[in-house]
Protein backbone atom coordinates (compact mmCIF):
# COMPACT_ATOMS: atom_id res chain seq x y z
CA UNK A 1 0.00 0.00 0.00
CA UNK A 2 1.03 3.64 -0.39
CA UNK A 3 2.54 5.28 2.68
CA UNK A 4 -0.53 7.51 3.02
CA UNK A 5 -3.09 4.73 2.43
CA UNK A 6 -6.08 5.09 4.75
CA UNK A 7 -7.64 2.36 6.89
CA UNK A 8 -10.65 2.43 4.54
CA UNK A 9 -8.41 1.85 1.51
CA UNK A 10 -6.76 -1.10 3.25
CA UNK A 11 -10.24 -2.45 4.03
CA UNK A 12 -11.20 -1.98 0.38
CA UNK A 13 -8.27 -4.09 -0.81
CA UNK A 14 -9.06 -6.74 1.84
CA UNK A 15 -12.64 -6.88 0.54
CA UNK A 16 -11.42 -7.27 -3.06
CA UNK A 17 -9.14 -10.13 -1.95
CA UNK A 18 -12.04 -11.73 -0.07
CA UNK A 19 -14.37 -11.41 -3.07
CA UNK A 20 -11.99 -13.54 -5.13
CA UNK A 21 -11.88 -16.26 -2.48
CA UNK A 22 -8.29 -15.50 -1.44
CA UNK A 23 -6.99 -14.71 2.04
CA UNK A 24 -5.57 -11.25 2.79
CA UNK A 25 -2.86 -10.62 5.40
CA UNK A 26 -2.41 -6.94 6.27
CA UNK A 27 1.08 -6.66 7.79
CA UNK A 28 1.63 -3.18 9.25
CA UNK A 29 5.12 -1.69 9.11
CA UNK A 30 6.72 1.55 10.24
CA UNK A 31 6.58 2.98 6.72
CA UNK A 32 3.57 1.32 5.14
CA UNK A 33 1.19 -1.62 5.39
CA UNK A 34 1.86 -4.56 3.11
CA UNK A 35 -1.00 -6.90 2.28
CA UNK A 36 0.02 -10.47 1.56
CA UNK A 37 -2.32 -12.61 -0.53
CA UNK A 38 -2.46 -16.38 -0.09
CA UNK A 39 -4.90 -19.02 -1.26
CA UNK A 40 -4.66 -18.04 -4.94
CA UNK A 41 -4.20 -21.00 -7.28
CA UNK A 42 -2.68 -19.11 -10.19
CA UNK A 43 -1.33 -15.60 -10.68
CA UNK A 44 -3.22 -12.80 -8.94
CA UNK A 45 -4.95 -10.30 -11.27
CA UNK A 46 -2.42 -7.52 -10.80
CA UNK A 47 -4.12 -4.78 -12.84
CA UNK A 48 -7.40 -5.18 -10.94
CA UNK A 49 -5.62 -4.67 -7.61
CA UNK A 50 -3.30 -1.95 -8.87
CA UNK A 51 -6.28 0.19 -9.80
CA UNK A 52 -7.71 0.10 -6.26
CA UNK A 53 -7.29 3.28 -4.19
CA UNK A 54 -4.24 3.26 -1.92
CA UNK A 55 -2.41 0.48 -3.75
CA UNK A 56 1.22 1.26 -4.66
CA UNK A 57 2.13 -1.92 -6.55
CA UNK A 58 1.40 -5.62 -6.87
CA UNK A 59 4.50 -7.78 -6.46
CA UNK A 60 4.36 -11.49 -7.37
CA UNK A 61 6.34 -13.49 -4.79
CA UNK A 62 8.85 -15.84 -6.37
CA UNK A 63 9.64 -17.93 -3.28
CA UNK A 64 7.62 -20.83 -1.89
CA UNK A 65 7.47 -18.91 1.40
CA UNK A 66 5.53 -15.72 0.96
CA UNK A 67 4.47 -13.84 4.08
CA UNK A 68 7.91 -14.21 5.68
CA UNK A 69 9.73 -12.91 2.62
CA UNK A 70 11.00 -9.43 1.98
CA UNK A 71 9.14 -9.47 -1.30
CA UNK A 72 5.91 -9.13 0.66
CA UNK A 73 7.38 -6.79 3.29
CA UNK A 74 10.69 -5.06 2.56
CA UNK A 75 11.25 -3.46 5.95
CA UNK A 76 12.36 -5.30 9.10
CA UNK A 77 9.57 -6.56 11.34
CA UNK A 78 9.58 -5.42 14.95
CA UNK A 79 7.99 -7.74 17.51
CA UNK A 80 6.73 -6.02 20.66
CA UNK A 81 6.75 -7.93 23.95
CA UNK A 82 5.17 -6.56 27.09
CA UNK A 83 5.37 -2.81 27.52
CA UNK A 84 8.98 -2.03 26.62
CA UNK A 85 10.69 -4.84 24.72
CA UNK A 86 10.99 -4.49 20.95
CA UNK A 87 12.72 -7.24 19.00
CA UNK A 88 14.20 -6.23 15.64
CA UNK A 89 14.21 -2.49 16.26
CA UNK A 90 18.00 -2.16 16.58
CA UNK A 91 18.50 -2.65 20.31
CA UNK A 92 19.68 -6.13 21.26
CA UNK A 93 17.24 -8.23 23.28
CA UNK A 94 18.70 -10.69 25.77
CA UNK A 95 16.63 -13.67 26.92
CA UNK A 96 18.15 -15.47 29.90
CA UNK A 97 17.15 -17.99 32.51
CA UNK A 98 17.36 -21.65 33.39
CA UNK A 99 16.76 -24.44 30.91
CA UNK A 100 13.95 -25.71 33.14
CA UNK A 101 11.85 -24.23 35.90
CA UNK A 102 12.79 -26.42 38.86
CA UNK A 103 11.28 -24.58 41.82
CA UNK A 104 10.07 -21.12 42.81
CA UNK A 105 13.29 -20.47 44.70
CA UNK A 106 15.54 -21.56 41.81
CA UNK A 107 13.59 -19.54 39.25
CA UNK A 108 13.50 -16.40 41.42
CA UNK A 109 17.21 -16.67 42.18
CA UNK A 110 18.13 -16.85 38.49
CA UNK A 111 15.50 -14.29 37.43
CA UNK A 112 16.77 -11.69 39.93
CA UNK A 113 20.37 -12.27 38.85
CA UNK A 114 19.75 -12.01 35.09
CA UNK A 115 17.52 -8.97 35.57
CA UNK A 116 20.29 -7.25 37.55
CA UNK A 117 22.82 -8.09 34.83
CA UNK A 118 20.63 -6.56 32.12
CA UNK A 119 18.45 -9.33 30.63
CA UNK A 120 15.20 -8.17 28.98
CA UNK A 121 13.22 -11.42 29.02
CA UNK A 122 13.17 -14.46 31.31
CA UNK A 123 13.29 -17.96 29.85
CA UNK A 124 12.59 -21.28 31.55
CA UNK A 125 10.88 -24.47 30.42
CA UNK A 126 7.80 -25.78 32.22
CA UNK A 127 7.26 -28.44 29.54
CA UNK A 128 10.58 -30.00 28.60
CA UNK A 129 11.11 -32.02 25.40
CA UNK A 130 13.63 -34.54 26.74
CA UNK A 131 15.46 -37.18 24.74
CA UNK A 132 14.79 -39.73 27.48
CA UNK A 133 11.33 -40.34 28.94
CA UNK A 134 13.05 -40.87 32.30
CA UNK A 135 14.62 -37.40 32.40
CA UNK A 136 12.94 -34.49 34.21
CA UNK A 137 9.96 -33.48 32.06
CA UNK A 138 9.23 -30.11 33.67
CA UNK A 139 6.74 -28.92 36.28
CA UNK A 140 3.91 -28.28 33.81
CA UNK A 141 1.30 -25.72 34.85
CA UNK A 142 2.97 -25.29 38.24
CA UNK A 143 6.11 -24.21 36.37
CA UNK A 144 4.08 -21.66 34.41
CA UNK A 145 2.74 -20.22 37.67
CA UNK A 146 6.31 -19.94 38.98
CA UNK A 147 7.33 -18.06 35.82
CA UNK A 148 4.37 -15.71 36.26
CA UNK A 149 5.47 -15.08 39.85
CA UNK A 150 9.02 -14.33 38.68
CA UNK A 151 7.63 -11.88 36.11
CA UNK A 152 5.54 -10.26 38.83
CA UNK A 153 8.60 -9.68 40.98
CA UNK A 154 11.20 -8.75 38.35
CA UNK A 155 9.03 -7.21 35.64
CA UNK A 156 10.71 -9.47 33.05
CA UNK A 157 8.30 -10.84 30.41
CA UNK A 158 8.45 -14.62 30.14
CA UNK A 159 9.36 -16.93 27.23
CA UNK A 160 8.48 -20.60 27.62
CA UNK A 161 8.03 -23.63 25.41
CA UNK A 162 4.85 -25.40 24.40
CA UNK A 163 5.45 -28.98 23.30
CA UNK A 164 1.91 -29.83 22.25
CA UNK A 165 -1.45 -28.22 21.51
CA UNK A 166 -2.92 -28.66 25.02
CA UNK A 167 0.26 -27.18 26.50
CA UNK A 168 0.06 -24.26 24.09
CA UNK A 169 -3.32 -23.25 25.51
CA UNK A 170 -1.72 -23.03 28.96
CA UNK A 171 1.47 -21.33 27.76
CA UNK A 172 -0.58 -18.75 25.88
CA UNK A 173 -2.47 -18.01 29.07
CA UNK A 174 0.54 -17.59 31.39
CA UNK A 175 3.47 -16.52 29.21
CA UNK A 176 4.37 -13.44 27.17
CA UNK A 177 6.10 -15.35 24.36
CA UNK A 178 5.42 -18.90 23.16
CA UNK A 179 8.50 -20.94 22.29
CA UNK A 180 8.29 -23.70 19.69
CA UNK A 181 11.29 -25.97 20.15
CA UNK A 182 13.68 -27.46 17.62
CA UNK A 183 12.06 -30.89 17.84
CA UNK A 184 8.67 -29.40 17.00
CA UNK A 185 9.78 -27.11 14.19
CA UNK A 186 7.83 -29.23 11.73
CA UNK A 187 4.92 -30.13 14.00
CA UNK A 188 2.52 -28.47 11.61
CA UNK A 189 -0.61 -28.70 13.75
CA UNK A 190 1.29 -27.07 16.63
CA UNK A 191 2.56 -24.36 14.27
CA UNK A 192 -0.98 -23.65 13.08
CA UNK A 193 -2.19 -23.39 16.67
CA UNK A 194 0.66 -20.97 17.42
CA UNK A 195 -0.49 -19.02 14.39
CA UNK A 196 -3.89 -18.54 16.03
CA UNK A 197 -2.36 -17.49 19.35
CA UNK A 198 -2.52 -13.89 20.49
CA UNK A 199 1.08 -13.89 21.75
CA UNK A 200 4.42 -13.61 19.91
CA UNK A 201 6.24 -16.83 19.02
CA UNK A 202 9.93 -17.77 19.14
CA UNK A 203 10.45 -20.51 16.56
CA UNK A 204 13.63 -22.52 17.01
CA UNK A 205 15.35 -24.06 14.03
CA UNK A 206 15.08 -27.83 13.76
CA UNK A 207 18.39 -29.58 14.27
CA UNK A 208 18.57 -30.68 10.65
CA UNK A 209 16.40 -28.04 9.01
CA UNK A 210 17.47 -26.17 5.91
CA UNK A 211 16.90 -22.44 5.76
CA UNK A 212 13.94 -22.98 3.45
CA UNK A 213 12.34 -25.51 5.81
CA UNK A 214 12.91 -23.10 8.72
CA UNK A 215 11.20 -20.25 6.88
CA UNK A 216 8.37 -22.52 5.72
CA UNK A 217 7.65 -23.38 9.34
CA UNK A 218 7.49 -19.68 10.19
CA UNK A 219 5.17 -19.29 7.18
CA UNK A 220 2.73 -21.75 8.83
CA UNK A 221 2.44 -19.41 11.81
CA UNK A 222 2.06 -16.24 9.73
CA UNK A 223 -0.42 -17.91 7.39
CA UNK A 224 -2.81 -18.30 10.34
CA UNK A 225 -2.60 -14.60 11.14
CA UNK A 226 0.13 -14.33 13.78
CA UNK A 227 2.85 -12.11 12.31
CA UNK A 228 4.81 -11.75 15.56
CA UNK A 229 7.40 -14.43 14.94
CA UNK A 230 11.03 -14.38 16.05
CA UNK A 231 13.29 -17.01 14.51
CA UNK A 232 16.00 -18.64 16.65
CA UNK A 233 19.16 -20.38 15.44
CA UNK A 234 20.16 -23.02 17.99
CA UNK A 235 22.70 -25.15 16.19
CA UNK A 236 22.39 -27.99 13.73
CA UNK A 237 23.75 -31.55 13.69
CA UNK A 238 27.01 -31.99 11.83
CA UNK A 239 30.01 -34.33 11.99
CA UNK A 240 31.72 -31.90 14.38
CA UNK A 241 32.13 -33.66 17.69
CA UNK A 242 33.65 -31.00 19.93
CA UNK A 243 30.32 -29.33 20.60
CA UNK A 244 26.74 -30.57 21.08
CA UNK A 245 25.59 -28.91 17.86
CA UNK A 246 27.23 -26.66 15.28
CA UNK A 247 25.98 -23.11 15.68
CA UNK A 248 25.21 -21.96 12.15
CA UNK A 249 25.88 -18.25 12.48
CA UNK A 250 25.90 -17.83 8.70
CA UNK A 251 22.15 -18.35 8.78
CA UNK A 252 21.72 -14.92 10.41
CA UNK A 253 22.76 -12.82 7.39
CA UNK A 254 21.07 -15.42 5.14
CA UNK A 255 17.76 -14.88 6.95
CA UNK A 256 18.21 -11.10 6.97
CA UNK A 257 18.59 -11.10 3.21
CA UNK A 258 15.37 -12.88 2.39
CA UNK A 259 13.11 -12.38 5.40
CA UNK A 260 11.87 -9.40 7.39
CA UNK A 261 11.55 -11.50 10.57
CA UNK A 262 13.95 -10.89 13.47
CA UNK A 263 16.31 -13.67 14.51
CA UNK A 264 17.79 -14.68 17.87
CA UNK A 265 20.77 -16.94 18.43
CA UNK A 266 20.89 -19.54 21.21
CA UNK A 267 24.58 -20.24 21.95
CA UNK A 268 23.68 -22.59 24.83
CA UNK A 269 22.05 -25.38 22.81
CA UNK A 270 24.23 -24.32 19.89
CA UNK A 271 27.38 -25.41 21.70
CA UNK A 272 26.26 -27.48 24.66
CA UNK A 273 29.33 -26.31 26.58
CA UNK A 274 29.53 -23.62 29.23
CA UNK A 275 32.94 -22.35 28.12
CA UNK A 276 31.76 -21.77 24.55
CA UNK A 277 28.64 -19.75 25.34
CA UNK A 278 30.31 -16.35 25.78
CA UNK A 279 32.54 -16.49 22.66
CA UNK A 280 29.65 -17.63 20.45
CA UNK A 281 27.35 -15.00 21.98
CA UNK A 282 29.86 -12.31 21.04
CA UNK A 283 30.08 -13.73 17.53
CA UNK A 284 26.29 -13.89 17.21
CA UNK A 285 25.97 -10.20 18.05
CA UNK A 286 28.77 -9.33 15.64
CA UNK A 287 27.06 -11.25 12.83
CA UNK A 288 23.83 -9.28 13.27
CA UNK A 289 21.53 -11.30 15.52
CA UNK A 290 18.63 -9.30 16.98
CA UNK A 291 19.04 -10.97 20.32
CA UNK A 292 20.35 -13.93 22.29
CA UNK A 293 18.75 -16.71 24.28
CA UNK A 294 21.13 -17.91 27.00
CA UNK A 295 20.72 -20.59 29.68
CA UNK A 296 21.79 -19.37 33.12
CA UNK A 297 21.71 -21.35 36.38
CA UNK A 298 22.96 -20.36 39.84
CA UNK A 299 24.12 -23.92 40.52
CA UNK A 300 24.61 -25.43 37.05
CA UNK A 301 26.23 -28.64 38.25
CA UNK A 302 23.00 -29.48 40.05
CA UNK A 303 20.64 -28.29 37.30
CA UNK A 304 17.87 -30.75 36.38
CA UNK A 305 18.49 -30.16 32.67
CA UNK A 306 21.26 -28.75 30.47
CA UNK A 307 23.62 -28.01 33.37
CA UNK A 308 26.77 -28.51 31.23
CA UNK A 309 25.76 -25.64 28.93
CA UNK A 310 24.35 -23.32 31.60
CA UNK A 311 26.49 -20.36 32.60
CA UNK A 312 26.53 -18.84 36.07
CA UNK A 313 25.02 -15.43 36.85
CA UNK A 314 28.57 -14.03 37.20
CA UNK A 315 29.54 -15.32 33.74
CA UNK A 316 26.31 -13.89 32.36
CA UNK A 317 26.99 -10.45 33.86
CA UNK A 318 30.48 -10.42 32.35
CA UNK A 319 29.07 -11.45 28.97
CA UNK A 320 26.49 -8.64 28.99
CA UNK A 321 29.34 -6.21 29.72
CA UNK A 322 31.23 -7.47 26.66
CA UNK A 323 28.12 -7.23 24.48
CA UNK A 324 27.62 -3.61 25.57
CA UNK A 325 30.95 -2.86 23.96
CA UNK A 326 30.42 -4.92 20.81
CA UNK A 327 26.88 -3.74 20.02
CA UNK A 328 27.72 -0.08 19.14
CA UNK A 329 30.50 -1.21 16.78
CA UNK A 330 27.85 -2.70 14.49
CA UNK A 331 25.33 0.09 15.02
CA UNK A 332 23.27 -1.54 17.74
CA UNK A 333 22.62 -0.71 21.34
CA UNK A 334 22.22 -2.72 24.50
C1 LIG B 1 15.31 -25.14 25.24
O1 LIG B 1 15.28 -23.95 24.85
O2 LIG B 1 15.47 -25.45 26.44
C2 LIG B 1 15.24 -26.21 24.22
C3 LIG B 1 14.78 -27.42 24.53
O3 LIG B 1 15.72 -25.84 23.03
P1 LIG B 1 15.76 -26.60 21.61
O4 LIG B 1 14.34 -26.80 21.22
O5 LIG B 1 16.49 -25.63 20.73
O6 LIG B 1 16.52 -27.88 21.80
MN1 LIG C 1 17.83 -26.43 27.46
Amino acid sequence: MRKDATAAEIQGVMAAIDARGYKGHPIPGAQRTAIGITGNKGAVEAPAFESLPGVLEVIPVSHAYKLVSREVKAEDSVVSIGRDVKVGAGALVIVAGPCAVESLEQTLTVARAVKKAGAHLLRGGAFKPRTSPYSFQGLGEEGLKILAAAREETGLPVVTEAVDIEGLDLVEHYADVIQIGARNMQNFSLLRRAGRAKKPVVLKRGMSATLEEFLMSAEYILSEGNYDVILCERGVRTFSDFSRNTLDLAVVPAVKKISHLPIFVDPSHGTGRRDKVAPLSRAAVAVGADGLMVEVHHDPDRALSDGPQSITPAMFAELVGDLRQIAPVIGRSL
Side-chain angles (χ1 to χ4, degrees), residues 95-140:
V95 190
C99 176
V101 173
E102 299 169 9
S103 68
L104 177 63
E105 200 199 347
Q106 170 251 14
T107 302
L108 283 178
T109 304
V110 180
R112 287 175 190 135
V114 298
K115 158 89 184 187
K116 188 159 169 256
H120 307 99
L121 301 171
L122 176 66
R123 65 148 288 146
F127 298 98
K128 295 306 302 174
R130 302 306 300 277
T131 302
S132 163
Y134 308 119
S135 299
F136 177 61
Q137 304 285 310
L139 297 179

Side-chain angles (χ1 to χ4, degrees), residues 26 43 68-69 78 93 96 130 153 158 160 162 166-167 235 239 254 259 264 277:
V68 304
S69 88
V78 176
V93 172
R130 302 306 300 277
E153 192 198 297
V158 160
T160 195
E166 305 86 81
F239 54 83
S259 176
F264 283 164
V277 170

